[in-house]
Amino acid sequence: MGRIHVLPEHVANKIAAGEVVERPASVVKELLENALDAGATRIKISVEAGGKKLIQIMDNGCGMVRDDAMLAFERHATSKIKDAEDLLSVATLGFRGEALPSIASVSRLRLETRDAQAAAGTVIEINGGKMARVEEAGLPEGTSITVRDLFFNTPARKKFLKAESTELSHIASLVTHYALAHPEKHFELHSATNAMLVAPPVAGYSERVYQVFGKETLDQLIAVAAVQPLEHVGLPQPPPWRRQEQEEDSEDIAARATPGEMRLHGFVSKPEIQKLNRNSIFVFVNGRLIRDRLVQHGLTEAYRNIIPPAVYPVVLLFLELPPGEVDVNVHPSKTEVRFRQPTVMHDFVRDTVRAALMKARPAPQFTTEIHAHATASSGLTPGARGWEPRSDLASASGAPARPFYEPASGFALHAQAAPLVSARFQFEGGIAVEANAAIPVARGMESSFDDAIPETIPDNGCAPALDAPENSRDEEPTLAALSTLRPLGQIRNSFILAVNEDGLWILDQHVAHERVLFERILKQRAAQRVESQRMLMPIVLELSPAQQAVFSEIADELQHNGFEAEPFGARSVAVKVAPAGVDAAAVEHMLHELLDQISREEQSLNLEKIRGRIAASIACHAAIKVNMPLEQNKMEWLLAELAKTDHPMSCPHGRPVVLRYSVKDIQKAFKRI
């Protein structure tokens, strides 16, 4: 008797559920995408116990007739595609026909739906993949799906779920970002105790970010937008005789042959907002939330030499391109895609974000940077917590934000709790950002407490607040204002104090000069006119085997950057010429440090990265040092040169160059406003 047999249908459904349904947020994702595909303009999500006990999604979409509702729970039954050709141009979020049967096989599911043309709706109940009840009922137009007791019949999967607060945070993050991707639709997210998100339709993406996260979050983001025509470069083309036939065909066929265009819009964070992981990078392709290494690498390249290499920005990007240019049939959960022209997409994302950062050139706030540190928390994830008076003061003092529904330690008598209010989200540096206000009464209560704490001290006849210049009342200063700075002096011969109409500026003289030299070296290298100096005596370096391998790989690039070195024995090299400005005593340390850095790289470096590493190392060792007194004309020269650079906000290693203490902050500190 043979050993191979066909698995029963219920076993196959559970295997498919293992691929599609990873956690409660996976259920919400699949059902939410179905609602969007159905043309819903109003979607309400309710969860209990982090989605373990209950997930309910109600929408006002097109609904289904009785036959379609029953057929929807068959494997690979879908209305999105009809044949294999449709897989090459999928324009909907769902298309596999696996979500509903997979979810129904590991839960107790109830479907209520009615088509607009139907006189009555349909109710279907399925327990663990077995249909228990089908009947007609009077229902509103649209669909409601209720999922109870997720993984009740697969305890091995259920025990791997995280705490309720963790699962709820995943659901909140997912719903929030789909709400951001569809500002024209109404979204609601309710937990058992709180309305976590209520987002009515708004005009655009900026308004949605403001609605959900508040003005301060929007101020920490830089808007990005670009369009690029697509060209089928490098793709197989028809032979000449076929091209001639196509040219003779109708205009409709010619229009179908047009590649189309790529569109990118969204928001990226300023350089001072830094995360320890990529969890705050959210990318949508044609409305689909994805995780793509290609796009993430393009974003990392855009921020290279602007933020430190081990941290990541907060990104919310929306990519739109013809469906035929992206393959979404890659992963069962549809979170991974393949682009038809990956290099074009990578460069488009990198160049667009880089250009936006160069154009904005945001000036870091002194009060923000003084507490800034990279965190692992997601940068755009709302939550709910108990009301606390003046939580912005607590956050300014460095107190960490409480996670979702963290229980209080110990027992104590408390006054009656006030209603829950929307949480304040922590960007780095203690910036308290108010989230979506799902409970208007609670917000009114919070404002009453705000009134109880005076923001300013009465002047009692003292001078009033300073009048800001008319051209700077509503504009946030950028680093373009560096050209107007007037240096006052130094702090400990290391930091330059300067002023202009925008406030007080503090510059790190070493990293400022490092940024100036770094960009100058790259420009000289591109023009092949690098300045160098000959050593009085050759400097002999002893190299380890790893350093020797790296040296042989980058020897040509070192020569193009002003070095002249040749082998001197089995494992030694003699340096005869070094870049101008680097002390002879620092050449040996600089080369050892550079070779060690490159040898520790886990990923292979391309020529551009190697060139950047060499330029950064030369600039660091040739720059003005700390504890070095500077004359007035030297400080003026440094400020003028820094203002001419493309990225004056940070050094090549990602450290901030300049901080601004605005006139408004100064007036607040002196209680004048």
Side-chain angles (χ1 to χ4, degrees), residues 263-405:
R263 294 179 178 270
L264 183 151
H265 60 91
F267 305 91
V268 296
S269 61
K270 296 180 180 179
E272 62 263 30
I273 308 299
Q274 299 171 5
K275 297 292 179 179
L276 291 176
N277 51 43
R278 296 184 178 91
N279 291 344
S280 298
I281 297 178
F282 295 92
V283 179
F284 287 81
V285 175
N286 293 343
R288 184 190 309 278
L289 181 62
I290 66 160
R291 291 284 184 182
D292 186 76
R293 293 183 179 181
L294 182 82
V295 176
Q296 289 181 347
H297 185 269
L299 292 168
T300 303
E301 287 295 293
Y303 278 87
R304 187 159 54 88
N305 298 130
I306 297 178
I307 62 176
V311 299
Y312 304 92
V314 175
V315 176
L316 182 66
L317 274 191
F318 304 97
L319 294 167
E320 298 173 4
L321 63 163
E325 294 293 322
V326 57
D327 182 9
V328 298
N329 188 26
V330 176
H331 192 273
S333 62
K334 304 182 291 294
T335 56
E336 298 179 10
V337 297
R338 286 197 184 102
F339 296 103
R340 192 178 185 188
Q341 302 183 64
T343 304
V344 175
M345 176 59 67
H346 174 275
D347 294 347
F348 178 53
V349 171
R350 179 197 62 195
D351 297 341
T352 302
V353 175
R354 188 84 171 184
L357 292 171
M358 290 178 62
K359 182 179 180 181
R361 288 158 53 111
Q365 291 282 346
F366 181 79
T367 53
T368 302
E369 279 292 339
I370 197 170
H371 297 292
H373 60 280
T375 65
S377 60
S378 180
L380 292 172
T381 303
R385 57 171 172 80
W387 176 86
E388 298 178 50
R390 301 298 295 173
S391 61
D392 52 337
L393 298 181
S395 63
S397 64
R402 259 195 294 166
F404 284 87
Y405 301 104

Side-chain angles (χ1 to χ4, degrees), residues 52-71:
K52 299 177 184 179
K53 290 184 178 179
L54 171 70
I55 297 173
Q56 184 181 45
I57 296 186
M58 304 171 62
D59 67 71
N60 63 345
C62 62
M64 294 180 284
V65 297
R66 179 187 178 98
D67 292 342
D68 285 348
M70 296 182 64
L71 193 60

Side-chain angles (χ1 to χ4, degrees), residues 502-518:
D502 297 325
L504 177 67
W505 300 67
I506 305 175
L507 294 89
D508 187 325
Q509 63 189 36
H510 171 69
V511 296
H513 195 208
E514 188 178 349
R515 167 54 69 176
V516 172
L517 293 178
F518 175 73

Side-chain angles (χ1 to χ4, degrees), residues 34-218:
N34 280 347
L36 292 172
D37 285 341
T41 59
R42 187 180 182 93
I43 302 173
K44 180 180 178 181
I45 302 101
S46 303
V47 296
E48 291 182 10
K52 299 177 184 179
K53 290 184 178 179
L54 171 70
I55 297 173
Q56 184 181 45
I57 296 186
M58 304 171 62
D59 67 71
N60 63 345
C62 62
M64 294 180 284
V65 297
R66 179 187 178 98
D67 292 342
D68 285 348
M70 296 182 64
L71 193 60
F73 291 96
E74 298 293 331
R75 291 193 67 196
H76 303 301
T78 179
S79 62
K80 315 297 175 57
I81 60 175
K82 294 182 179 180
D83 50 40
E85 293 294 327
D86 293 339
L87 288 174
L88 302 177
S89 57
V90 177
T92 56
L93 298 177
F95 61 92
R96 300 174 65 94
E98 289 184 325
L100 283 179
S102 298
I103 296 169
S105 66
V106 292
S107 66
R108 295 184 173 93
L109 185 144
R110 177 183 174 92
L111 169 70
E112 300 176 0
T113 183
R114 183 176 75 84
D115 183 78
Q117 307 300 325
T122 303
V123 177
I124 297 178
E125 292 185 1
I126 299 178
N127 297 325
K130 297 180 180 179
M131 194 167 293
R133 185 160 67 105
V134 180
E135 63 182 18
E136 291 187 351
L139 299 171
E141 180 185 352
T143 302
S144 172
I145 297 182
T146 305
V147 177
R148 298 182 183 274
D149 302 330
L150 187 63
F151 297 131
F152 79 97
N153 55 351
T154 53
R157 291 296 305 275
K158 191 173 184 178
K159 70 179 182 180
F160 282 101
L161 295 178
K162 304 297 183 183
E164 292 181 6
S165 59
T166 303
E167 300 296 344
L168 182 61
S169 68
H170 283 282
I171 294 174
S173 176
L174 177 78
V175 175
T176 301
H177 289 94
Y178 267 101
L180 293 171
H182 298 275
E184 75 284 358
K185 299 181 185 296
H186 180 104
F187 285 84
E188 292 185 25
L189 174 62
H190 298 265
S191 68
T193 59
N194 188 23
M196 300 180 66
L197 176 71
V198 177
V202 290
Y205 295 91
S206 298
E207 289 82 357
R208 181 69 101 190
V209 173
Y210 178 87
Q211 178 190 61
V212 175
F213 295 110
K215 180 179 183 297
E216 293 188 37
T217 300
L218 187 61

